[in-house]
mmCIF file of all heavy atoms in Angstrom:
data_model
loop_
_atom_site.group_PDB
_atom_site.id
_atom_site.type_symbol
_atom_site.label_atom_id
_atom_site.label_comp_id
_atom_site.label_asym_id
_atom_site.label_seq_id
_atom_site.Cartn_x
_atom_site.Cartn_y
_atom_site.Cartn_z
ATOM 1 N N ALA A 27 96.936 103.978 79.756
ATOM 2 C CA ALA A 27 96.280 102.793 80.297
ATOM 3 C C ALA A 27 96.285 102.880 81.817
ATOM 4 O O ALA A 27 97.213 103.429 82.411
ATOM 5 C CB ALA A 27 97.024 101.540 79.839
ATOM 6 N N PRO A 28 95.257 102.384 82.491
ATOM 7 C CA PRO A 28 95.245 102.413 83.964
ATOM 8 C C PRO A 28 96.489 101.743 84.526
ATOM 9 O O PRO A 28 96.970 100.742 84.002
ATOM 10 C CB PRO A 28 93.976 101.630 84.310
ATOM 11 C CG PRO A 28 93.097 101.773 83.105
ATOM 12 C CD PRO A 28 94.036 101.759 81.935
ATOM 13 N N ALA A 29 97.032 102.329 85.584
ATOM 14 C CA ALA A 29 98.252 101.787 86.199
ATOM 15 C C ALA A 29 98.204 102.010 87.699
ATOM 16 O O ALA A 29 99.173 102.478 88.303
ATOM 17 C CB ALA A 29 99.479 102.449 85.585
ATOM 18 N N ALA A 30 97.079 101.691 88.324
ATOM 19 C CA ALA A 30 96.906 101.935 89.754
ATOM 20 C C ALA A 30 97.939 101.142 90.555
ATOM 21 O O ALA A 30 98.228 99.979 90.242
ATOM 22 C CB ALA A 30 95.507 101.543 90.186
ATOM 23 N N PRO A 31 98.522 101.755 91.581
ATOM 24 C CA PRO A 31 99.550 101.081 92.376
ATOM 25 C C PRO A 31 99.007 100.060 93.364
ATOM 26 O O PRO A 31 99.771 99.301 93.949
ATOM 27 C CB PRO A 31 100.242 102.235 93.101
ATOM 28 C CG PRO A 31 99.164 103.263 93.242
ATOM 29 C CD PRO A 31 98.329 103.157 91.995
ATOM 30 N N LEU A 32 97.695 100.046 93.572
ATOM 31 C CA LEU A 32 97.066 99.053 94.443
ATOM 32 C C LEU A 32 95.573 99.016 94.143
ATOM 33 O O LEU A 32 95.015 99.954 93.556
ATOM 34 C CB LEU A 32 97.320 99.348 95.922
ATOM 35 C CG LEU A 32 96.566 100.475 96.617
ATOM 36 C CD1 LEU A 32 96.804 100.412 98.119
ATOM 37 C CD2 LEU A 32 96.956 101.839 96.109
ATOM 38 N N GLN A 33 94.910 97.943 94.560
ATOM 39 C CA GLN A 33 93.477 97.811 94.356
ATOM 40 C C GLN A 33 92.741 98.750 95.316
ATOM 41 O O GLN A 33 93.003 98.744 96.515
ATOM 42 C CB GLN A 33 93.034 96.364 94.608
ATOM 43 C CG GLN A 33 93.567 95.365 93.576
ATOM 44 C CD GLN A 33 92.935 95.576 92.218
ATOM 45 O OE1 GLN A 33 91.762 95.942 92.107
ATOM 46 N NE2 GLN A 33 93.731 95.378 91.162
ATOM 47 N N ALA A 34 91.848 99.581 94.772
ATOM 48 C CA ALA A 34 91.107 100.524 95.602
ATOM 49 C C ALA A 34 89.932 101.074 94.800
ATOM 50 O O ALA A 34 89.838 100.874 93.580
ATOM 51 C CB ALA A 34 92.007 101.670 96.060
ATOM 52 N N ALA A 35 89.046 101.764 95.502
ATOM 53 C CA ALA A 35 87.907 102.411 94.846
ATOM 54 C C ALA A 35 88.349 103.790 94.355
ATOM 55 O O ALA A 35 88.067 104.821 94.970
ATOM 56 C CB ALA A 35 86.735 102.514 95.812
ATOM 57 N N TRP A 36 89.065 103.812 93.249
ATOM 58 C CA TRP A 36 89.616 105.066 92.730
ATOM 59 C C TRP A 36 88.512 105.914 92.118
ATOM 60 O O TRP A 36 87.625 105.404 91.439
ATOM 61 C CB TRP A 36 90.671 104.774 91.664
ATOM 62 C CG TRP A 36 91.886 104.065 92.193
ATOM 63 C CD1 TRP A 36 92.161 102.733 92.105
ATOM 64 C CD2 TRP A 36 92.973 104.661 92.908
ATOM 65 N NE1 TRP A 36 93.356 102.443 92.720
ATOM 66 C CE2 TRP A 36 93.890 103.609 93.214
ATOM 67 C CE3 TRP A 36 93.269 105.959 93.314
ATOM 68 C CZ2 TRP A 36 95.066 103.827 93.908
ATOM 69 C CZ3 TRP A 36 94.454 106.179 93.991
ATOM 70 C CH2 TRP A 36 95.340 105.123 94.296
ATOM 71 N N ARG A 37 88.593 107.200 92.345
ATOM 72 C CA ARG A 37 87.662 108.125 91.703
ATOM 73 C C ARG A 37 88.459 109.281 91.096
ATOM 74 O O ARG A 37 89.398 109.804 91.711
ATOM 75 C CB ARG A 37 86.605 108.638 92.673
ATOM 76 C CG ARG A 37 87.118 109.384 93.883
ATOM 77 C CD ARG A 37 85.946 109.748 94.812
ATOM 78 N NE ARG A 37 86.313 110.609 95.921
ATOM 79 C CZ ARG A 37 86.792 110.177 97.063
ATOM 80 N NH1 ARG A 37 87.001 108.869 97.254
ATOM 81 N NH2 ARG A 37 87.085 111.025 98.036
ATOM 82 N N ALA A 38 88.066 109.667 89.917
ATOM 83 C CA ALA A 38 88.772 110.730 89.205
ATOM 84 C C ALA A 38 88.319 112.086 89.707
ATOM 85 O O ALA A 38 87.113 112.326 89.878
ATOM 86 C CB ALA A 38 88.533 110.615 87.708
ATOM 87 N N LEU A 39 89.262 112.978 89.956
ATOM 88 C CA LEU A 39 88.938 114.349 90.340
ATOM 89 C C LEU A 39 88.554 115.141 89.093
ATOM 90 O O LEU A 39 88.970 114.826 87.981
ATOM 91 C CB LEU A 39 90.123 114.995 91.044
ATOM 92 C CG LEU A 39 90.640 114.295 92.316
ATOM 93 C CD1 LEU A 39 91.693 115.158 93.004
ATOM 94 C CD2 LEU A 39 89.498 113.988 93.283
ATOM 95 N N PRO A 40 87.756 116.186 89.263
ATOM 96 C CA PRO A 40 87.245 116.906 88.086
ATOM 97 C C PRO A 40 88.293 117.702 87.317
ATOM 98 O O PRO A 40 88.107 117.985 86.142
ATOM 99 C CB PRO A 40 86.176 117.839 88.674
ATOM 100 C CG PRO A 40 86.537 117.987 90.124
ATOM 101 C CD PRO A 40 87.138 116.680 90.519
ATOM 102 N N GLU A 41 89.396 118.085 87.978
ATOM 103 C CA GLU A 41 90.409 118.890 87.297
ATOM 104 C C GLU A 41 91.668 118.077 87.051
ATOM 105 O O GLU A 41 91.962 117.133 87.785
ATOM 106 C CB GLU A 41 90.755 120.131 88.133
ATOM 107 C CG GLU A 41 89.613 121.115 88.300
ATOM 108 C CD GLU A 41 90.053 122.363 89.038
ATOM 109 O OE1 GLU A 41 90.710 123.217 88.418
ATOM 110 O OE2 GLU A 41 89.761 122.460 90.240
ATOM 111 N N GLU A 42 92.413 118.451 86.013
ATOM 112 C CA GLU A 42 93.666 117.784 85.719
ATOM 113 C C GLU A 42 94.830 118.729 85.980
ATOM 114 O O GLU A 42 94.686 119.952 85.889
ATOM 115 C CB GLU A 42 93.693 117.311 84.266
ATOM 116 C CG GLU A 42 93.591 118.423 83.251
ATOM 117 C CD GLU A 42 93.505 117.912 81.826
ATOM 118 O OE1 GLU A 42 93.297 116.693 81.632
ATOM 119 O OE2 GLU A 42 93.641 118.730 80.894
ATOM 120 N N ALA A 43 95.968 118.156 86.315
ATOM 121 C CA ALA A 43 97.180 118.952 86.520
ATOM 122 C C ALA A 43 97.858 119.160 85.170
ATOM 123 O O ALA A 43 98.070 118.205 84.431
ATOM 124 C CB ALA A 43 98.117 118.244 87.483
ATOM 125 N N ARG A 44 98.204 120.408 84.877
ATOM 126 C CA ARG A 44 98.843 120.721 83.598
ATOM 127 C C ARG A 44 100.219 121.330 83.852
ATOM 128 O O ARG A 44 100.375 122.180 84.714
ATOM 129 C CB ARG A 44 97.978 121.697 82.785
ATOM 130 C CG ARG A 44 96.617 121.110 82.422
ATOM 131 C CD ARG A 44 95.881 121.992 81.447
ATOM 132 N NE ARG A 44 94.625 121.383 81.027
ATOM 133 C CZ ARG A 44 93.891 121.809 80.006
ATOM 134 N NH1 ARG A 44 94.301 122.868 79.296
ATOM 135 N NH2 ARG A 44 92.766 121.187 79.685
ATOM 136 N N HIS A 45 101.173 120.872 83.068
ATOM 137 C CA HIS A 45 102.547 121.356 83.240
ATOM 138 C C HIS A 45 103.252 121.297 81.893
ATOM 139 O O HIS A 45 102.965 120.427 81.064
ATOM 140 C CB HIS A 45 103.296 120.489 84.263
ATOM 141 C CG HIS A 45 104.633 121.027 84.656
ATOM 142 N ND1 HIS A 45 104.783 122.148 85.451
ATOM 143 C CD2 HIS A 45 105.898 120.604 84.368
ATOM 144 C CE1 HIS A 45 106.065 122.382 85.639
ATOM 145 N NE2 HIS A 45 106.768 121.473 84.984
ATOM 146 N N THR A 46 104.176 122.222 81.669
ATOM 147 C CA THR A 46 104.923 122.259 80.425
ATOM 148 C C THR A 46 106.388 121.941 80.678
ATOM 149 O O THR A 46 107.040 122.589 81.503
ATOM 150 C CB THR A 46 104.797 123.637 79.748
ATOM 151 O OG1 THR A 46 103.423 123.840 79.379
ATOM 152 C CG2 THR A 46 105.668 123.716 78.508
ATOM 153 N N PHE A 47 106.866 120.920 79.978
ATOM 154 C CA PHE A 47 108.279 120.584 79.985
ATOM 155 C C PHE A 47 108.930 121.174 78.734
ATOM 156 O O PHE A 47 108.266 121.795 77.905
ATOM 157 C CB PHE A 47 108.460 119.058 80.026
ATOM 158 C CG PHE A 47 108.060 118.434 81.336
ATOM 159 C CD1 PHE A 47 106.773 117.944 81.525
ATOM 160 C CD2 PHE A 47 108.961 118.339 82.386
ATOM 161 C CE1 PHE A 47 106.394 117.363 82.727
ATOM 162 C CE2 PHE A 47 108.600 117.766 83.595
ATOM 163 C CZ PHE A 47 107.312 117.289 83.775
ATOM 164 N N THR A 48 110.221 120.963 78.588
ATOM 165 C CA THR A 48 110.944 121.559 77.467
ATOM 166 C C THR A 48 110.357 121.143 76.124
ATOM 167 O O THR A 48 110.204 121.965 75.219
ATOM 168 C CB THR A 48 112.430 121.150 77.514
ATOM 169 O OG1 THR A 48 112.973 121.516 78.785
ATOM 170 C CG2 THR A 48 113.221 121.853 76.422
ATOM 171 N N HIS A 49 109.996 119.876 75.990
ATOM 172 C CA HIS A 49 109.609 119.366 74.683
ATOM 173 C C HIS A 49 108.138 118.977 74.565
ATOM 174 O O HIS A 49 107.702 118.552 73.488
ATOM 175 C CB HIS A 49 110.478 118.157 74.319
ATOM 176 C CG HIS A 49 111.941 118.464 74.275
ATOM 177 N ND1 HIS A 49 112.484 119.358 73.376
ATOM 178 C CD2 HIS A 49 112.975 118.024 75.034
ATOM 179 C CE1 HIS A 49 113.798 119.440 73.568
ATOM 180 N NE2 HIS A 49 114.119 118.652 74.575
ATOM 181 N N PHE A 50 107.372 119.090 75.631
ATOM 182 C CA PHE A 50 105.952 118.707 75.528
ATOM 183 C C PHE A 50 105.144 119.339 76.661
ATOM 184 O O PHE A 50 105.683 119.753 77.689
ATOM 185 C CB PHE A 50 105.798 117.180 75.547
ATOM 186 C CG PHE A 50 106.226 116.525 76.838
ATOM 187 C CD1 PHE A 50 105.312 116.251 77.846
ATOM 188 C CD2 PHE A 50 107.551 116.165 77.044
ATOM 189 C CE1 PHE A 50 105.703 115.648 79.027
ATOM 190 C CE2 PHE A 50 107.961 115.557 78.219
ATOM 191 C CZ PHE A 50 107.029 115.303 79.218
ATOM 192 N N HIS A 51 103.829 119.412 76.433
ATOM 193 C CA HIS A 51 102.880 119.797 77.467
ATOM 194 C C HIS A 51 102.331 118.509 78.091
ATOM 195 O O HIS A 51 102.094 117.525 77.380
ATOM 196 C CB HIS A 51 101.714 120.595 76.880
ATOM 197 C CG HIS A 51 102.122 121.842 76.173
ATOM 198 N ND1 HIS A 51 102.613 122.952 76.826
ATOM 199 C CD2 HIS A 51 102.110 122.161 74.847
ATOM 200 C CE1 HIS A 51 102.888 123.900 75.944
ATOM 201 N NE2 HIS A 51 102.597 123.448 74.744
ATOM 202 N N LEU A 52 102.136 118.514 79.396
ATOM 203 C CA LEU A 52 101.631 117.328 80.090
ATOM 204 C C LEU A 52 100.296 117.636 80.761
ATOM 205 O O LEU A 52 100.134 118.682 81.384
ATOM 206 C CB LEU A 52 102.637 116.867 81.148
ATOM 207 C CG LEU A 52 102.207 115.670 82.018
ATOM 208 C CD1 LEU A 52 102.059 114.410 81.155
ATOM 209 C CD2 LEU A 52 103.209 115.436 83.142
ATOM 210 N N ARG A 53 99.366 116.699 80.620
ATOM 211 C CA ARG A 53 98.079 116.780 81.310
ATOM 212 C C ARG A 53 97.896 115.504 82.114
ATOM 213 O O ARG A 53 97.839 114.405 81.540
ATOM 214 C CB ARG A 53 96.942 116.957 80.307
ATOM 215 C CG ARG A 53 97.019 118.280 79.538
ATOM 216 C CD ARG A 53 95.885 118.423 78.545
ATOM 217 N NE ARG A 53 95.940 119.704 77.852
ATOM 218 C CZ ARG A 53 95.086 120.082 76.901
ATOM 219 N NH1 ARG A 53 94.113 119.263 76.517
ATOM 220 N NH2 ARG A 53 95.213 121.268 76.319
ATOM 221 N N LEU A 54 97.815 115.656 83.424
ATOM 222 C CA LEU A 54 97.667 114.507 84.314
ATOM 223 C C LEU A 54 96.269 114.493 84.917
ATOM 224 O O LEU A 54 95.871 115.441 85.602
ATOM 225 C CB LEU A 54 98.690 114.575 85.452
ATOM 226 C CG LEU A 54 100.159 114.257 85.141
ATOM 227 C CD1 LEU A 54 100.989 114.399 86.410
ATOM 228 C CD2 LEU A 54 100.298 112.859 84.558
ATOM 229 N N SER A 55 95.519 113.432 84.659
ATOM 230 C CA SER A 55 94.272 113.247 85.398
ATOM 231 C C SER A 55 94.634 112.702 86.775
ATOM 232 O O SER A 55 95.619 111.975 86.939
ATOM 233 C CB SER A 55 93.334 112.297 84.655
ATOM 234 O OG SER A 55 93.921 111.021 84.514
ATOM 235 N N ILE A 56 93.835 113.059 87.773
ATOM 236 C CA ILE A 56 94.155 112.720 89.162
ATOM 237 C C ILE A 56 93.098 111.759 89.691
ATOM 238 O O ILE A 56 91.898 112.068 89.676
ATOM 239 C CB ILE A 56 94.199 113.989 90.035
ATOM 240 C CG1 ILE A 56 95.196 114.998 89.457
ATOM 241 C CG2 ILE A 56 94.575 113.632 91.472
ATOM 242 C CD1 ILE A 56 95.097 116.382 90.085
ATOM 243 N N HIS A 57 93.559 110.598 90.140
ATOM 244 C CA HIS A 57 92.666 109.611 90.717
ATOM 245 C C HIS A 57 92.980 109.502 92.206
ATOM 246 O O HIS A 57 94.149 109.393 92.601
ATOM 247 C CB HIS A 57 92.841 108.261 90.037
ATOM 248 C CG HIS A 57 92.364 108.252 88.614
ATOM 249 N ND1 HIS A 57 92.029 107.098 87.939
ATOM 250 C CD2 HIS A 57 92.145 109.263 87.730
ATOM 251 C CE1 HIS A 57 91.632 107.395 86.710
ATOM 252 N NE2 HIS A 57 91.713 108.705 86.556
ATOM 253 N N PHE A 58 91.916 109.523 93.020
ATOM 254 C CA PHE A 58 92.091 109.526 94.475
ATOM 255 C C PHE A 58 91.380 108.335 95.088
ATOM 256 O O PHE A 58 90.318 107.898 94.613
ATOM 257 C CB PHE A 58 91.533 110.816 95.078
ATOM 258 C CG PHE A 58 91.533 110.826 96.579
ATOM 259 C CD1 PHE A 58 92.690 111.139 97.280
ATOM 260 C CD2 PHE A 58 90.393 110.498 97.292
ATOM 261 C CE1 PHE A 58 92.706 111.126 98.660
ATOM 262 C CE2 PHE A 58 90.396 110.480 98.676
ATOM 263 C CZ PHE A 58 91.557 110.795 99.369
ATOM 264 N N ALA A 59 91.957 107.812 96.196
ATOM 265 C CA ALA A 59 91.307 106.730 96.936
ATOM 266 C C ALA A 59 91.720 106.765 98.390
ATOM 267 O O ALA A 59 92.883 107.046 98.714
ATOM 268 C CB ALA A 59 91.659 105.379 96.325
ATOM 269 N N ASP A 60 90.746 106.490 99.274
ATOM 270 C CA ASP A 60 91.052 106.194 100.675
ATOM 271 C C ASP A 60 91.240 104.694 100.784
ATOM 272 O O ASP A 60 90.432 103.904 100.247
ATOM 273 C CB ASP A 60 89.903 106.648 101.582
ATOM 274 C CG ASP A 60 89.961 108.125 101.898
ATOM 275 O OD1 ASP A 60 91.036 108.600 102.305
ATOM 276 O OD2 ASP A 60 88.948 108.822 101.702
ATOM 277 N N VAL A 61 92.308 104.254 101.468
ATOM 278 C CA VAL A 61 92.617 102.823 101.536
ATOM 279 C C VAL A 61 92.792 102.409 102.992
ATOM 280 O O VAL A 61 93.116 103.237 103.857
ATOM 281 C CB VAL A 61 93.888 102.494 100.715
ATOM 282 C CG1 VAL A 61 93.677 102.840 99.251
ATOM 283 C CG2 VAL A 61 95.105 103.234 101.268
ATOM 284 N N PRO A 62 92.601 101.116 103.292
ATOM 285 C CA PRO A 62 92.712 100.656 104.684
ATOM 286 C C PRO A 62 94.153 100.649 105.184
ATOM 287 O O PRO A 62 95.105 100.740 104.412
ATOM 288 C CB PRO A 62 92.143 99.237 104.616
ATOM 289 C CG PRO A 62 92.343 98.811 103.201
ATOM 290 C CD PRO A 62 92.163 100.054 102.378
ATOM 291 N N GLN A 63 94.286 100.498 106.485
ATOM 292 C CA GLN A 63 95.594 100.545 107.119
ATOM 293 C C GLN A 63 96.505 99.424 106.632
ATOM 294 O O GLN A 63 97.731 99.591 106.573
ATOM 295 C CB GLN A 63 95.428 100.456 108.643
ATOM 296 C CG GLN A 63 96.685 100.736 109.442
ATOM 297 C CD GLN A 63 97.137 102.188 109.347
ATOM 298 O OE1 GLN A 63 96.330 103.066 109.039
ATOM 299 N NE2 GLN A 63 98.405 102.440 109.599
ATOM 300 N N ASP A 64 95.928 98.310 106.244
ATOM 301 C CA ASP A 64 96.768 97.166 105.828
ATOM 302 C C ASP A 64 96.973 97.119 104.312
ATOM 303 O O ASP A 64 97.413 96.091 103.785
ATOM 304 C CB ASP A 64 96.156 95.857 106.318
ATOM 305 C CG ASP A 64 94.760 95.620 105.764
ATOM 306 O OD1 ASP A 64 94.217 96.524 105.064
ATOM 307 O OD2 ASP A 64 94.191 94.529 106.005
ATOM 308 N N ALA A 65 96.674 98.220 103.618
ATOM 309 C CA ALA A 65 96.850 98.244 102.164
ATOM 310 C C ALA A 65 98.317 98.010 101.800
ATOM 311 O O ALA A 65 99.220 98.573 102.420
ATOM 312 C CB ALA A 65 96.376 99.581 101.605
ATOM 313 N N THR A 66 98.525 97.160 100.801
ATOM 314 C CA THR A 66 99.883 96.834 100.371
ATOM 315 C C THR A 66 100.053 97.248 98.913
ATOM 316 O O THR A 66 99.554 96.571 98.005
ATOM 317 C CB THR A 66 100.157 95.322 100.516
ATOM 318 O OG1 THR A 66 99.919 94.926 101.873
ATOM 319 C CG2 THR A 66 101.594 95.012 100.138
ATOM 320 N N PRO A 67 100.741 98.330 98.665
ATOM 321 C CA PRO A 67 100.897 98.797 97.287
ATOM 322 C C PRO A 67 101.915 97.967 96.509
ATOM 323 O O PRO A 67 102.864 97.413 97.081
ATOM 324 C CB PRO A 67 101.381 100.236 97.451
ATOM 325 C CG PRO A 67 102.111 100.235 98.750
ATOM 326 C CD PRO A 67 101.384 99.251 99.624
ATOM 327 N N GLU A 68 101.710 97.878 95.194
ATOM 328 C CA GLU A 68 102.682 97.229 94.319
ATOM 329 C C GLU A 68 103.852 98.157 94.021
ATOM 330 O O GLU A 68 104.945 97.700 93.678
ATOM 331 C CB GLU A 68 102.010 96.801 93.008
ATOM 332 C CG GLU A 68 100.930 95.757 93.195
ATOM 333 C CD GLU A 68 100.262 95.395 91.886
ATOM 334 O OE1 GLU A 68 100.734 95.868 90.820
ATOM 335 O OE2 GLU A 68 99.274 94.644 91.919
ATOM 336 N N ARG A 69 103.607 99.464 94.123
ATOM 337 C CA ARG A 69 104.666 100.452 93.900
ATOM 338 C C ARG A 69 104.558 101.534 94.951
ATOM 339 O O ARG A 69 103.481 101.915 95.371
ATOM 340 C CB ARG A 69 104.524 101.121 92.512
ATOM 341 C CG ARG A 69 104.495 100.174 91.354
ATOM 342 C CD ARG A 69 104.740 100.895 90.022
ATOM 343 N NE ARG A 69 104.084 102.178 89.898
ATOM 344 C CZ ARG A 69 102.835 102.338 89.462
ATOM 345 N NH1 ARG A 69 102.100 101.279 89.172
ATOM 346 N NH2 ARG A 69 102.327 103.541 89.335
ATOM 347 N N GLY A 70 105.707 102.047 95.369
ATOM 348 C CA GLY A 70 105.729 103.152 96.309
ATOM 349 C C GLY A 70 105.610 102.723 97.755
ATOM 350 O O GLY A 70 105.470 101.539 98.076
ATOM 351 N N ASP A 71 105.672 103.702 98.630
ATOM 352 C CA ASP A 71 105.574 103.470 100.074
ATOM 353 C C ASP A 71 104.700 104.560 100.682
ATOM 354 O O ASP A 71 104.651 105.694 100.196
ATOM 355 C CB ASP A 71 106.966 103.526 100.718
ATOM 356 C CG ASP A 71 107.896 102.438 100.193
ATOM 357 O OD1 ASP A 71 107.673 101.260 100.541
ATOM 358 O OD2 ASP A 71 108.806 102.772 99.428
ATOM 359 N N PHE A 72 104.058 104.220 101.781
ATOM 360 C CA PHE A 72 103.241 105.200 102.492
ATOM 361 C C PHE A 72 104.146 106.077 103.359
ATOM 362 O O PHE A 72 104.984 105.581 104.111
ATOM 363 C CB PHE A 72 102.183 104.507 103.358
ATOM 364 C CG PHE A 72 101.013 104.018 102.558
ATOM 365 C CD1 PHE A 72 100.926 102.692 102.155
ATOM 366 C CD2 PHE A 72 100.011 104.900 102.196
ATOM 367 C CE1 PHE A 72 99.842 102.251 101.403
ATOM 368 C CE2 PHE A 72 98.922 104.466 101.452
ATOM 369 C CZ PHE A 72 98.847 103.141 101.049
ATOM 370 N N LEU A 73 103.974 107.370 103.230
ATOM 371 C CA LEU A 73 104.752 108.345 103.988
ATOM 372 C C LEU A 73 103.844 108.962 105.047
ATOM 373 O O LEU A 73 102.771 109.476 104.718
ATOM 374 C CB LEU A 73 105.273 109.453 103.052
ATOM 375 C CG LEU A 73 106.186 110.510 103.673
ATOM 376 C CD1 LEU A 73 107.515 109.875 104.071
ATOM 377 C CD2 LEU A 73 106.415 111.648 102.687
ATOM 378 N N PRO A 74 104.233 108.887 106.335
ATOM 379 C CA PRO A 74 103.397 109.491 107.376
ATOM 380 C C PRO A 74 103.100 110.954 107.064
ATOM 381 O O PRO A 74 103.947 111.680 106.542
ATOM 382 C CB PRO A 74 104.240 109.349 108.644
ATOM 383 C CG PRO A 74 105.156 108.199 108.357
ATOM 384 C CD PRO A 74 105.447 108.267 106.892
#
């Protein structure tokens, strides 16, 4: 289910990140957004 950390114009990248853990394979779709300077995320922090 969508779980974006803040409101933004998210766009999905064409490729997904794939990784294998001990008990499962993982496929991550990647959503990208440019956000304004005053963006306030619900989760995480902006790192310079």
Side-chain angles (χ1 to χ4, degrees):
L32 75 170
Q33 293 291 326
W36 295 100
R37 60 184 187 275
L39 302 188
E41 295 185 77
E42 62 185 12
R44 298 189 176 193
H45 189 72
T46 296
F47 290 93
T48 304
H49 301 297
F50 64 94
H51 301 290
L52 177 65
R53 296 180 178 178
L54 286 179
S55 61
I56 304 168
H57 292 201
F58 173 81
D60 278 310
V61 299
Q63 190 68 22
D64 60 355
T66 304
E68 296 178 7
R69 304 196 320 273
D71 297 288
F72 282 98
L73 184 68

